Amino acid sequence: MLQEAPPGVGIKSGWRSTERQAQIFAAHGNNRHVAARPGHSNHEHGLAADLSFDSPEAKRWVHQNAARFGLHFRMGHEPWHIEPIEATADDTHWGRG
């Protein structure tokens, strides 16, 4: 998707360790409505990325075309967080057999 995206689309955050997820969770007051609990983030399994957009047009393009690449923005309150369509909420074993 990034190869076809217009200029100004990047990956701000991808895989992260459980320790890093714990730091993010704590920084948001341990509020699971703002950040996933450690062990429950698809970032920890390499199945999520937080994108950056340099323009509204770049963001619009990615949102309009993500499904073409098997991706979606599952969390409406995080319009930068993208995952494979098959990944589900709180499914930390997706793709792990």
Side-chain angles (χ1 to χ4, degrees):
M1 181 182 73
L2 293 177
Q3 290 178 345
E4 290 187 29
V9 178
I11 297 176
K12 187 167 95 173
S13 175
W15 176 86
R16 63 178 69 127
S17 67
T18 300
E19 292 78 17
R20 179 66 182 132
Q21 187 64 34
Q23 293 170 345
I24 292 169
F25 187 63
H28 288 90
N30 297 332
N31 182 342
R32 65 183 180 86
H33 298 290
V34 178
R37 293 173 297 171
H40 295 272
S41 170
N42 279 329
H43 281 282
E44 295 169 84
H45 300 283
L47 297 173
D50 293 340
L51 302 180
S52 61
F53 309 104
D54 287 349
S55 69
E57 294 78 20
K59 180 180 176 183
R60 186 176 316 112
W61 186 94
V62 171
H63 278 260
Q64 289 174 345
N65 289 279
R68 289 182 35 222
F69 301 94
L71 303 168
H72 72 140
F73 292 88
R74 174 174 71 76
M75 300 180 342
H77 67 286
E78 291 187 12
W80 56 85
H81 180 97
I82 194 166
E83 298 185 357
I85 290 171
E86 293 86 4
T88 60
D90 208 36
D91 184 0
T92 59
H93 300 289
W94 182 86
R96 300 283 177 215

